[in-house]
């Protein structure tokens, strides 16, 4: 019997249809794989990536020394490039910490506008695709630490994938929109201020504010604006307007600075119009007031000429115009000497020679903050000629020089000294005028490692042929804390300070850092020709103690100082204890 095979048409059709559906269903994947396979082949496999043991998520920003941790476990390949820049922004308060997880801190986090990622990237000195240069990461970190709206910054390589690197940028915002209401007392005189400012306006990194200030000399209302990165560029601009009870002030500037140590050029333009009343001092006592008006314009440019290793030479040049006018006030006693009007109008040339070497330290001049100190020298000098043909009142040679160098820089100690000189030489009278020279030496020991430290400073200033509007004063406002402001005057001044500083680990409410200090000040201002320099013409000495308060969450660049100083000599008019309450940028 012959068997005839038959075909089940319905089953074949079903199998064919099912196969077509499977092919069509995978078609997008096939096409995508075909298109992306060349790109995928060029990318490093995840198995080839090496992650650092140091990741930004593990860094405790409340422990400043944690920010000094580096990725010593990574070996960066030769010729590596930056493949990805990861921005990690921490809020003001860490709500994962039970001590910070409360209604107030949650509200402050919610109300704060985080710093724009674009504002942070504008500060960086490297971009994705750039060749890896470790010095640019370190300098970018220093630039971020300078910003008032950040309390901490850390930049490091966190992953290596073949020849490409992941660089992480860790920052923590601070609360910046603040009404300011405050008062201070220094040298027996009171100062009060109020206003509102925001150095990180809506997270943009721009600084805006308005304020009111009242001190023994005047009342003042001010408005200001500063933009550190105009339209995301390296250009900076700003202005300030002051309306005073005794005059006004207007300042404006635009500049492209040496935004990094190896920047190739700079340019700047600034102008100022300032009018106020000043006091004429005799024997450190204000005998009469007069009006001082200042108009100035400055334009300058600079170029990097040479660089060898860590040393760099820059050429600077520009033009300055400065006109000072002095006017008697009708209701004031007649002055024995009224400052003479003078105008300087001069081109100038100079150079800047420096060592670009830095060291990170803690508890140097700030409370529990990482600080970048220059472990090298900076020498800058200027020479200008101000002729009557350019509108000057006399022919003058203008001189200026500053030199600063680190004497010692270790993990526990830092010492530096500086020498400065300013003044001009009048060709019509063959003599120097307003010539001043200063020598300053500072030494810090212990604060970077231990919770206490020693600090001492010695400063000496000598002046020659000062005009009537220039004088050297010493008192509560300039270092001699046990005495009233402007207690002595002269053309020589010396001041020595010794402090024992304390940085306890106490961190109340995870909001404030506290410090303490024991101090002594010894100083004097006098005239080299024996003229009357004040109520007590001898060397002045005081002893005292004080407290320091700084916020780690709120933008307060100044440290609150509360000092109690006890004068050991002086005349009978001095109180037995001087109480000073003020804000200072340093400890």
């Amino acid at each position: 019997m012959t068997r005839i095979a038959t075909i089940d048409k319905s089953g074949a059709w079903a199998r064919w249809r099912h196969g077509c559906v499977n092919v069509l269903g995978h078609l997008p994947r096939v096409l995508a794989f075909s298109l992306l396979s060349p790109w995928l082949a060029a990318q490093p496999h995840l198995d080839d990536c090496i992650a650092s043991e140091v990741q930004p998520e593990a860094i405790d920003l409340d422990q400043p020394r944690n920010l000094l941790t580096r990725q010593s476990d990574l070996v960066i390949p030769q010729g590596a490039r930056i493949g990805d820049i990861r921005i990690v922004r921490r809020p003001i308060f860490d709500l994962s910490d039970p001590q910070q997880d409360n209604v107030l801190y949650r509200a402050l986090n919610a109300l704060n506008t985080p710093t724009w990622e674009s504002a942070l990237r504008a500060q960086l000195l490297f971009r994705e695709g750039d060749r890896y240069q470790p010095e640019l990461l370190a300098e970018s970190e220093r630039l971020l630490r300078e910003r008032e709206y950040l309390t901490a910054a850390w930049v490091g390589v966190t992953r290596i994938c073949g020849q490409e690197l992941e660089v992480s940028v860790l920052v923590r915002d601070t609360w910046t929109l603040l009404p300011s209401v405050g008062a201070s007392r220094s040298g027996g005189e009171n100062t009060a201020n109020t206003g509102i400012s925001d150095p990180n306006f809506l997270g943009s990194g721009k600084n805006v504010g308005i304020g009111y200030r009242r001190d023994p000399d005047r009342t003042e209302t001010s408005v200001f604006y500063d933009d550190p990165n105009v339209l995301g560029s390296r250009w900076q601009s700003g202005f300030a307007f002051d309306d005073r009870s005794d005059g006004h002030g207007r300042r404006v500037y635009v500049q492209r600075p040496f935004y990094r140590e190896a920047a190739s050029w700079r340019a700047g333009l600034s102008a100022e119009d300032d009018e106020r009343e000043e006091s004429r001092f005799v024997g450190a006592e204000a005998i009469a007031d007069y009006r001082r008006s200042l108009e100035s314009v400055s334009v300058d440019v600079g170029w990097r000429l040479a660089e060898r290793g860590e040393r760099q030479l820059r050429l600077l040049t520009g033009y300055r115009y400065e006109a000072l006018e002095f006017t008697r006030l009708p209701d004031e006693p007649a002055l024995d000497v009224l400052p003479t009007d003078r105008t300087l109008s001069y081109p100038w040339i100079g150079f800047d020679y420096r060592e670009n070497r830095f060291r990170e330290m803690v508890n140097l001049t700030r409370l529990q903050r990482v600080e970048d100190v220059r472990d090298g020298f900076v020498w800058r000098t200027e020479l200008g000629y101000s002729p009557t043909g350019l509108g000057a009142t006399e022919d003058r040679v203008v001189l200026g020089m500053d030199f600063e160098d680190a004497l010692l820089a270790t993990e526990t100690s830092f010492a530096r000294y500086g020498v400065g000189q300013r003044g001009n030489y009048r060709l019509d009278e063959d003599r120097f005028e307003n010539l001043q020279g200063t020598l300053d030496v500072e030494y810090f020991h212990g604060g970077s490692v231990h919770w206490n430290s020693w600090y001492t400073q010695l400063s000496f200033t000598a002046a020659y042929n000062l005009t009537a509007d220039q004088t050297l004063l010493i008192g509560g406002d300039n270092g001699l804390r046990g005495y009233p402001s402007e207690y002595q005057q002269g053309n020589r001044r010396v001041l020595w300070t010794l402090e024992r500083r304390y940085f306890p680990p106490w961190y109340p409410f995870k909001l404030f850092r506290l410090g303490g200090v024991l101090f002594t000040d010894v100083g004097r201002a006098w005239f080299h020709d024996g003229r009357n320099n004040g109520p007590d013409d001898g060397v002045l000495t005081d002893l005292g103690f004080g407290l320091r308060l700084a916020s780690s969450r709120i933008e307060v660049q100044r440290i609150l100082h509360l000092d109690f100083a006890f004068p050991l000599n002086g005349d009978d008019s001095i109180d037995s204890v001087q109480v000073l309450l003020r804000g200072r940028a340093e400890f």
Side-chain angles (χ1 to χ4, degrees):
M1 178 190 297
T2 304
R3 174 176 291 182
I4 301 174
T6 61
I7 299 176
D8 183 356
K9 296 181 179 179
S10 61
W13 167 254
R15 287 190 296 273
W16 180 83
R17 183 179 60 183
H18 179 71
C20 289
V21 169
N22 282 341
V23 172
L24 292 173
H26 288 85
L27 185 58
R29 299 180 186 176
V30 173
L31 291 174
F33 180 78
S34 299
L35 293 173
L36 295 177
S37 56
W39 179 82
L40 291 171
Q43 301 307 305
H45 297 289
L46 292 179
D47 295 340
D48 297 332
C49 294
I50 302 173
S52 171
E53 295 178 358
V54 181
Q55 295 291 326
E57 291 78 8
I59 294 178
D60 185 357
L61 296 182
D62 288 331
Q63 302 296 327
R65 291 183 181 89
N66 278 14
L67 290 168
L68 306 183
T69 305
R70 296 302 172 198
Q71 302 88 335
S72 58
D73 57 319
L74 293 180
V75 178
I76 309 298
Q78 188 73 21
R81 293 191 173 273
I82 298 173
D84 181 44
I85 300 174
R86 183 165 64 112
I87 306 293
V88 181
R89 292 175 293 179
R90 296 270 185 91
I92 302 172
F93 296 98
D94 180 8
L95 301 183
S96 65
D97 181 355
Q99 297 184 51
Q100 301 180 53
D101 187 10
N102 58 57
V103 174
L104 175 60
Y105 292 175
R106 286 197 300 270
L108 288 174
N109 272 358
L111 292 173
N112 184 63
T113 303
T115 303
W116 300 349
E117 185 171 316
S118 60
L120 295 172
R121 288 180 180 270
Q123 312 300 317
L124 303 179
L125 302 177
F126 55 89
R127 298 289 184 265
E128 291 164 341
D130 288 355
R131 184 172 60 85
Y132 170 70
Q133 300 180 67
E135 63 274 12
L136 294 187
L137 272 65
E139 192 171 356
S140 296
E141 187 176 285
R142 292 197 296 269
L143 291 175
L144 289 170
R145 269 198 285 267
E146 293 175 359
R147 299 308 175 200
E148 298 179 11
Y149 48 83
L150 301 175
T151 58
W154 179 93
V155 180
V157 178
T158 50
R159 186 183 297 271
I160 301 176
C161 295
Q163 290 293 111
E164 292 195 349
L165 310 177
E166 175 193 73
V167 175
S168 294
V169 179
L170 170 65
V171 297
R172 182 169 70 188
D173 279 321
T174 182
W175 181 265
T176 56
L177 179 59
L178 282 177
S180 60
V181 179
S184 64
R185 180 174 177 81
S186 176
E189 297 179 335
N190 298 319
T191 299
N193 64 278
T194 183
I196 187 168
S197 63
D198 189 348
N200 191 17
F201 183 64
L202 298 178
S204 65
K206 320 303 182 188
N207 188 3
V208 298
I210 182 171
Y212 172 82
R213 175 184 172 88
R214 177 175 54 82
D215 61 31
D217 297 320
R218 63 186 57 84
T219 60
E220 179 177 282
T221 301
S222 59
V223 178
F224 61 87
Y225 171 82
D226 285 290
D227 186 346
N229 296 95
V230 177
L231 300 176
S233 70
R234 300 298 180 183
W235 286 87
Q236 302 174 354
S237 68
F239 64 82
F241 298 123
D242 304 325
D243 183 20
R244 307 189 185 106
S245 58
D246 60 349
H248 62 263
R250 304 183 184 94
R251 296 173 298 282
V252 62
Y253 75 93
V254 58
Q255 66 174 359
R256 196 260 198 187
F258 286 112
Y259 63 90
R260 53 168 295 200
E261 296 293 341
S264 57
W265 62 278
R266 69 149 284 134
L269 172 65
S270 63
E272 180 178 4
D273 174 18
D274 188 276
E275 184 177 292
R276 65 179 69 199
E277 294 178 6
E278 297 284 8
S279 298
R280 168 88 166 101
F281 288 89
V282 173
E285 180 180 354
I287 61 171
D289 291 341
Y290 59 89
R291 184 173 301 281
R292 188 206 71 162
S293 299
L294 166 68
E295 292 183 356
S296 68
V297 176
S298 175
V299 58
D300 70 277
V301 292
W303 300 271
R304 184 186 64 187
L305 290 184
E307 189 169 17
R308 173 179 290 184
E310 297 171 333
R311 298 190 174 189
Q312 181 184 93
L313 178 64
R314 297 168 175 171
L315 174 66
L316 310 169
T317 187
Y319 167 79
R320 292 194 187 99
Y321 173 85
E322 181 181 283
L324 278 164
E325 294 185 0
F326 304 94
T327 309
R328 297 180 185 273
L329 296 175
D331 298 329
E332 289 291 320
L335 289 170
D336 55 341
V337 177
L338 183 71
T340 304
D341 295 348
R342 60 182 181 272
T343 298
L344 281 76
S345 177
Y346 61 98
W348 60 271
I349 190 170
F351 69 84
D352 181 304
Y353 185 43
R354 60 182 56 207
E355 279 185 308
N356 296 325
R357 187 172 64 245
F358 296 87
R359 177 179 291 270
E360 296 168 324
M361 304 189 79
V362 179
N363 288 335
L364 199 68
T365 64
R366 307 290 295 276
L367 270 170
Q368 301 293 346
R369 296 282 290 272
V370 177
E371 302 177 55
D372 300 291
V373 297
R374 185 181 292 273
D375 182 13
F377 67 81
V378 176
W379 183 17
R380 176 168 176 162
T381 185
E382 295 179 7
L383 175 65
Y385 176 56
S386 177
T388 55
L390 290 178
T393 49
E394 304 90 14
D395 290 338
R396 299 172 185 254
V397 176
V398 185
L399 310 166
M401 186 274 291
D402 291 290
F403 182 83
E404 181 180 299
D405 192 13
L407 291 169
L408 174 69
T410 68
E411 187 179 10
T412 59
S413 299
F414 180 70
R416 62 187 169 198
Y417 74 98
V419 179
Q421 172 270 316
R422 288 285 182 275
N424 58 80
Y425 185 80
R426 291 189 57 167
L427 298 175
D428 61 327
E429 296 184 359
D430 193 24
R431 67 182 181 90
F432 285 102
E433 186 174 272
N434 285 331
L435 185 65
Q436 293 190 34
T438 299
L439 171 65
D440 184 81
V441 182
E442 288 183 292
Y443 176 63
F444 305 81
H445 176 74
S448 287
V449 176
H450 307 294
W451 64 276
N452 50 54
S453 71
W454 287 99
Y455 168 74
T456 187
Q457 179 185 33
L458 176 64
S459 177
F460 173 71
T461 301
Y464 184 68
N465 279 346
L466 293 178
T467 54
D469 59 308
Q470 302 287 318
T471 188
L472 301 180
L473 300 169
I474 197 168
D477 264 351
N478 36 33
L480 207 58
R481 285 166 278 193
Y483 297 84
S485 298
E486 302 151 357
Y487 188 69
Q488 287 182 342
Q489 73 169 134
N491 55 18
R492 303 287 188 272
R493 180 173 61 197
V494 65
L495 176 67
W496 176 67
T497 294
L498 177 65
E499 295 185 350
R500 180 61 165 166
R501 297 176 171 182
Y502 299 92
F503 313 95
W506 190 38
Y507 195 7
F509 310 109
K510 292 293 183 76
L511 191 60
F512 298 105
R513 298 288 192 181
L514 297 176
V517 61
L518 302 174
F519 63 83
T520 181
D521 306 313
V522 181
R524 185 188 181 211
W526 73 99
F527 290 99
H528 74 285
D529 57 6
R531 280 177 286 161
N532 180 20
N533 66 329
D536 186 317
D537 62 0
V539 176
L540 306 174
T541 306
D542 63 51
L543 297 171
F545 65 91
L547 298 175
R548 303 291 182 262
L549 179 67
S551 173
S552 59
R553 311 286 180 176
I554 301 173
E555 193 286 312
V556 179
Q557 286 293 302
R558 292 183 178 272
I559 299 174
L560 181 65
H561 286 217
L562 175 59
D563 289 327
F564 298 87
F566 304 90
L568 301 185
N569 45 19
D571 72 323
D572 295 336
S573 67
I574 301 176
D575 295 336
S576 59
V577 57
Q578 296 284 329
V579 180
L580 297 88
L581 177 64
R582 52 193 176 168
R584 288 289 184 267
E586 298 183 351
F587 193 97

